[in-house]
Amino acid sequence: MKKIYSLLFVCISAVTVAQSTFKVRVSDSFESLVGATAIVTGSDGATDKLVSDINGEFSTAIEIPFDVEIRFLGFETLTTTISKSGQIVIMKPSSTYLDDIVVTGQFNPQSARNSVYKVQTITSDRIASQNANSLHDILSNELNVKIDRDNATGRSEISLQGLRGQYVKVLIDGIPAVGKGGVRNDIDLAQFDVQSIERIEIVQGPMAVSYGSDALAGVINIITKKDIDAQLEVSVNIQTETAGSEYSFFDQGIHSPSINTSYKISDRWFTQLTGRYYRFGGWINEALINQPGEFDWHPKEQWFGGWLTRYETDRWELYYRLDILDERITNFGDLIVPANGGEPYKFDEQYNADRYFHQIQSLWRVSDFTTINSVFSYTDYERLSSNFRNFPLSGVEIPITSGNDTIYYRSFFSRNTINLISKKSGSFQVGVESTRETSGGSTLNDGDKHLTDLAIFASAELIFNDLKVRPGIRYSYNSLFESIPTASVNFAYKLGGNTNLRWSYGRGYRAPSIRELFHEFVDSNHNLIGNPDLKPEDSHNFTFNISHQLNSIPLSFQLLSFYNNINNGITILVPIGNEPTTYTNLTKMNTLGGNIQASYEQGRFTNSVGFSYVGRLQNLRDETGVPEYVFTPEIMSRASYRWSSINLSLSAFYKFNGSFRQYSLVEGEPRLASQESYHTLDLNLSKTFIKSIRIGIGARNILNVTTLNATGSTGGPHTAGSNIPVGFGRSYFLTINYQFKK
């Protein structure tokens, strides 16, 4: 028996010794290519098919020397000879233009170039190059996108194609985000954890057939991280940033540590745990200071947590994800010194927000041509403002029961689709969707408010050689309003190998939200009442897009134009005299515009420049129209250069935001409000050490924009005088990221 074991050991050792290895890496860098394929041909004609492991290594029993052909998506095919074991092979990125794989609005994941929609992707590399602290940092550099920041509440609100955030559907992994606040009913972009984002996909234009109400201007789909290329991965990120010239180790500036731990338990099980803390110490604009210690940007503290568990087989995938937000914003009052010599005190106010977001998603590949997707989510969101008397010397805080406000949303969402997929003749999708939302609180009329929305939708993607046609229709039931069918049709045509044309028509529908119907916010600073007589909105959108990739050089162009016509658009009506501010329907609201963008990518250098021009027209009432468009220009530039030999990259992000103008009714008459133009510029420098440590330094708002002059009135609830706050000055940051993989 010992002889048998000895012989077996010798055989195993001989096989092990006979194994030949070689590695594949990216040109001029230390990055290994995982999942590359190779065909090995020995001198005796024997062949072997290989796949590189997590270290970019191939292993074969064929004896050296041998020929090998290596392929990897996005890189030039390489044919070479391996003459020694352990040899390193360098692959060069392909100059051929390659698109990202996108999922938003698709029947199944596919190349962005082949999508009937124009899907814009913000990749994880782009997010890392910006060293972003929030979605505001990421999205504010995009064309046709405007971000408004509220220094009083800390909110970041988006506009797309000249339409406010209530017309933009914000999704998390394809599920509508819940937590509208403010008077405009926008989703607060500052309440998402950027460290958990894998990429962001943006589709401009109505997506009401696929995603229902609120998707008139487009959708922003935040896609979270769900996989790793190793068995175990731990990523620790520490970011610290000044607020203008203000900084201290804890109290002043921005401090944001985070950790992400991912583990592949087996081939089928995967789990992930994330956590992030964000603290902003507030900022005082010394140039506009009115009272000592008065913050222009209020201090903010946020805790983010996340947990993901996924199970998958060849045919089935199921995962559960939980995301938690705990936010606190503090508005410190002025110090009051009692005349009788008592202890000084302040009247402070806190805004507290909590959100628990549960989602379960499954994908069943019934066959090679049929898939069934199911999505279920439950969101519990609450925002509370509380007042208290603060005695700084003794540290005593006494709650004040009067003047506190609260609002909460509890939403259950489900979506189920059946997809029949054929790459030759076309695909078909049919689905059902339901939403049940309950809202309540002191800023709404008495009693809980309920909204139920049920929908059935269907669309097809038909292929006629180089032409794709995608018609779709959606029927829905709304418990508060009579809804209308929404329909769309999209065309995509390949004009030659490198030119794509897309044009579309879509009809959108938006029912008034619970907040717009039943808002009741009355105190010493506010007098805002909802309008239960509001009518639903409907819209018509026309979009045209052309993109072209040059053959000779890696330069691409795209041109986008759009037109939106919204009937019964809901807006805020500034009152006459002492009447309360309320919501009203406009007889007509139009936006039109377009942008042109060019992108160049050659080896170490990438650059993208663009220009957009967006106009708005509003009929404020039947007898007082505003027969002119007011336009806003934008110019954008993003550039980066990478020194591969030393793992160093430099990125610059610039945007010119033209003067923003719009009409509003003030005391019954149309008034043109104007906000001056401004420029933003950010610089980022990143270096990677020993493949696992990345250090980034840089500056935001280099041009030091803090406030903008404004004329007229937009009726905003927190507009103070003629100065509109937009930032807290030139800031500097340091980021340290450590990544461990096994």
Side-chain angles (χ1 to χ4, degrees):
M1 182 64 69
K2 290 183 179 180
K3 291 183 178 180
I4 294 176
Y5 282 130
S6 299
L7 180 61
L8 182 60
F9 177 80
V10 170
C11 292
I12 293 174
S13 300
V15 171
T16 303
V17 171
Q19 292 288 318
S20 303
T21 63
F22 59 98
K23 294 183 178 181
V24 58
R25 287 179 176 169
V26 179
S27 175
D28 298 328
S29 79
F30 295 101
E31 182 181 356
S32 300
L33 289 180
V34 181
T37 60
I39 299 177
V40 174
T41 305
S43 57
D44 59 354
T47 61
D48 195 5
K49 295 182 179 180
L50 311 173
V51 178
S52 62
D53 62 16
I54 61 174
N55 297 313
E57 185 173 279
F58 297 94
S59 180
T60 180
I62 295 179
E63 294 184 0
I64 291 175
F66 53 75
D67 295 327
V68 62
E69 180 181 283
I70 307 174
R71 296 177 181 270
F72 191 79
L73 182 65
F75 289 78
E76 297 178 357
T77 300
L78 176 67
T79 301
T80 188
T81 299
I82 302 299
S83 57
K84 63 178 181 179
S85 184
Q87 182 174 332
I88 296 176
V89 178
I90 302 298
M91 294 191 71
K92 296 181 179 181
S94 172
S95 60
T96 304
Y97 180 77
L98 293 174
D99 277 312
D100 298 299
I101 301 300
V102 296
V103 299
T104 305
Q106 311 300 320
F107 297 158
N108 65 316
Q110 64 173 302
S111 165
R113 171 177 287 191
N114 294 325
S115 170
V116 73
Y117 299 111
K118 179 58 181 176
V119 183
Q120 177 185 354
T121 302
I122 301 176
T123 64
S124 57
D125 289 340
R126 154 82 183 279
I127 296 172
S129 70
Q130 287 188 262
N131 292 286
N133 249 325
S134 67
L135 275 177
H136 168 269
D137 296 336
I138 301 170
L139 297 175
S140 58
N141 192 249
E142 300 300 316
L143 290 176
N144 297 339
V145 173
K146 182 177 183 292
I147 306 292
D148 293 318
R149 302 175 70 185
D150 191 328
N151 61 326
T153 62
R155 295 177 52 82
S156 293
E157 303 170 346
I158 191 170
S159 298
L160 184 64
Q161 289 193 352
L163 297 173
R164 293 288 189 183
Q166 62 262 40
Y167 301 104
V168 182
K169 196 87 166 186
V170 179
L171 309 172
I172 305 173
D173 295 320
I175 299 174
V178 175
K180 295 181 178 181
V183 297
R184 296 178 183 144
N185 295 278
D186 299 41
I187 294 294
D188 185 1
L189 299 180
Q191 293 182 339
F192 296 96
D193 179 15
V194 293
Q195 297 298 330
S196 67
I197 298 176
E198 173 65 27
R199 68 184 188 275
I200 301 171
E201 295 181 358
I202 303 173
V203 180
Q204 297 192 34
M207 298 287 288
V209 170
S210 297
Y211 297 108
S213 181
D214 300 349
L216 277 70
V219 299
I220 297 175
N221 192 7
I222 301 168
I223 299 171
T224 60
K225 299 175 182 177
K226 304 181 189 68
D227 203 0
I228 55 175
D229 57 5
Q231 182 183 14
L232 173 66
E233 180 176 300
V234 179
S235 178
V236 179
N237 193 83
I238 299 175
Q239 184 156 330
T240 184
E241 183 174 340
T242 70
S245 59
E246 299 176 5
Y247 183 80
S248 65
F249 184 72
F250 189 76
D251 291 330
Q252 293 180 311
I254 297 174
H255 305 275
S256 181
S258 66
I259 185 169
N260 185 322
T261 303
S262 303
Y263 181 57
K264 284 186 176 179
I265 303 172
S266 66
D267 292 339
R268 296 187 175 183
W269 284 97
F270 171 79
T271 188
Q272 183 183 74
L273 189 64
T274 63
R276 179 177 180 235
Y277 174 70
Y278 174 90
R279 178 182 174 84
F280 169 50
W283 183 69
I284 300 173
N285 190 346
E286 299 291 344
L288 300 176
I289 192 168
N290 296 316
Q291 295 288 338
E294 181 178 336
F295 285 94
D296 293 271
W297 292 81
H298 296 160
K300 177 192 291 188
E301 190 175 29
Q302 292 176 315
W303 290 92
F304 298 94
W307 176 52
L308 169 75
T309 296
R310 191 185 75 240
Y311 175 82
E312 63 178 332
T313 65
D314 292 339
R315 291 286 184 181
W316 190 49
E317 179 179 343
L318 173 71
Y319 75 82
Y320 164 78
R321 184 180 185 95
L322 168 65
D323 288 289
I324 300 174
L325 163 72
D326 182 16
E327 176 186 83
R328 181 176 64 186
I329 300 171
T330 305
N331 179 10
F332 293 104
D334 300 331
L335 187 66
I336 300 174
V337 179
N340 59 6
E343 182 180 352
Y345 62 90
K346 301 186 297 180
F347 288 106
D348 295 344
E349 184 177 19
Q350 282 188 351
Y351 307 96
N352 296 278
D354 296 287
R355 180 173 60 211
Y356 295 86
F357 173 53
H358 308 260
Q359 59 166 301
I360 297 176
Q361 298 206 30
S362 72
L363 170 63
W364 180 25
R365 301 176 184 88
V366 181
S367 68
D368 293 339
F369 309 101
T370 306
T371 62
I372 298 177
N373 295 76
S374 296
V375 176
F376 302 93
S377 74
Y378 175 74
T379 306
D380 188 347
Y381 178 89
E382 182 175 7
R383 190 171 189 271
L384 169 69
S385 67
S386 56
N387 298 276
F388 53 91
R389 181 179 291 187
N390 178 13
F391 294 88
L393 296 180
S394 61
V396 175
E397 294 181 354
I398 301 176
I400 300 174
T401 57
S402 61
N404 297 328
D405 300 309
T406 183
I407 189 168
Y408 60 83
Y409 298 93
R410 298 186 179 99
S411 176
F412 175 81
F413 172 84
S414 69
R415 175 187 172 95
N416 297 273
T417 60
I418 299 176
N419 307 291
L420 305 176
I421 301 167
S422 172
K423 294 182 179 180
K424 295 182 178 181
S425 59
S427 304
F428 180 78
Q429 180 186 80
V430 61
V432 294
E433 188 177 285
S434 65
T435 302
R436 173 67 173 179
E437 183 176 296
T438 299
S439 302
S442 61
T443 58
L444 297 179
N445 292 345
D446 294 338
D448 286 351
K449 308 298 184 297
H450 305 280
L451 182 148
T452 300
D453 192 272
L454 306 173
I456 181 170
F457 55 94
S459 61
E461 192 167 288
L462 309 176
I463 302 176
F464 306 96
N465 296 322
D466 292 329
L467 175 66
K468 284 186 178 180
V469 182
R470 182 166 178 175
I473 191 167
R474 182 185 187 100
Y475 291 92
S476 61
Y477 160 79
N478 188 286
S479 60
L480 299 179
F481 295 95
E482 181 180 355
S483 59
I484 60 175
T486 55
S488 66
V489 59
N490 293 72
F491 301 89
Y493 181 68
K494 288 187 177 181
L495 185 63
N498 295 331
T499 304
N500 290 333
L501 302 177
R502 295 181 178 89
W503 62 102
S504 66
Y505 162 77
R507 186 174 188 183
Y509 167 79
R510 189 179 85 89
S513 68
I514 289 178
R515 197 177 184 93
E516 290 166 331
L517 293 169
F518 306 112
H519 206 156
E520 188 174 285
F521 192 14
V522 180
D523 60 17
S524 58
N525 299 315
H526 305 84
N527 189 11
L528 180 61
I529 302 297
N531 183 359
D533 297 324
L534 289 173
K535 301 176 183 178
E537 301 175 323
D538 70 278
S539 70
H540 302 272
N541 171 278
F542 300 89
T543 302
F544 174 79
N545 173 268
I546 181 171
S547 59
H548 178 72
Q549 169 70 38
L550 297 181
N551 280 323
S552 56
I553 57 176
L555 180 64
S556 62
F557 298 91
Q558 69 165 328
L559 173 69
L560 171 72
S561 61
F562 62 86
Y563 171 75
N564 291 293
N565 171 250
I566 299 178
N567 298 309
N568 295 320
I570 299 173
T571 188
I572 296 175
L573 178 64
V574 179
I576 300 175
N578 295 323
E579 296 179 5
T581 301
T582 187
Y583 300 90
T584 188
N585 289 105
L586 297 175
T587 57
K588 184 173 68 174
M589 180 170 60
N590 296 345
T591 68
L592 64 83
N595 62 267
I596 184 170
Q597 189 168 334
S599 299
Y600 176 83
E601 183 173 353
Q602 178 64 55
R604 303 169 182 174
F605 179 70
T606 62
N607 187 28
S608 181
V609 295
F611 169 78
S612 73
Y613 203 55
V614 178
R616 291 162 297 277
L617 181 148
Q618 297 171 295
N619 273 15
L620 301 177
R621 62 186 186 189
D622 292 335
E623 65 274 16
T624 308
V626 180
E628 66 172 345
Y629 281 90
V630 286
F631 287 89
T632 299
E634 292 179 347
I635 300 174
M636 173 275 298
S637 177
R638 294 189 294 267
S640 65
Y641 188 84
R642 183 169 62 93
W643 290 269
S644 303
S645 58
I646 58 175
N647 290 321
L648 183 69
S649 63
L650 175 65
S651 302
F653 301 87
Y654 165 80
K655 189 175 183 183
F656 166 73
N657 300 272
S659 176
F660 179 78
R661 299 180 297 158
Q662 70 174 7
Y663 282 94
S664 60
L665 279 179
V666 180
E667 296 183 351
E669 297 297 330
R671 181 181 298 178
L672 181 63
S674 178
Q675 178 180 293
E676 70 175 327
S677 61
Y678 65 102
H679 305 260
T680 61
L681 176 63
D682 299 343
L683 288 177
N684 299 266
L685 183 68
S686 298
K687 179 172 174 56
T688 302
F689 299 87
I690 58 175
K691 297 191 297 184
S692 59
I693 299 176
R694 182 179 65 87
I695 295 180
I697 59 174
R700 303 192 210 279
N701 194 6
I702 291 176
L703 303 179
N704 200 32
V705 180
T706 58
T707 58
L708 302 178
N709 293 324
T711 60
S713 174
T714 61
H718 300 111
T719 300
S722 61
N723 295 305
I724 306 296
V726 294
F728 41 81
R730 183 184 302 112
S731 301
Y732 303 92
F733 65 84
L734 168 66
T735 299
I736 302 175
N737 178 269
Y738 171 75
Q739 195 170 70
F740 170 80
K741 290 185 179 183
K742 179 180 180 182

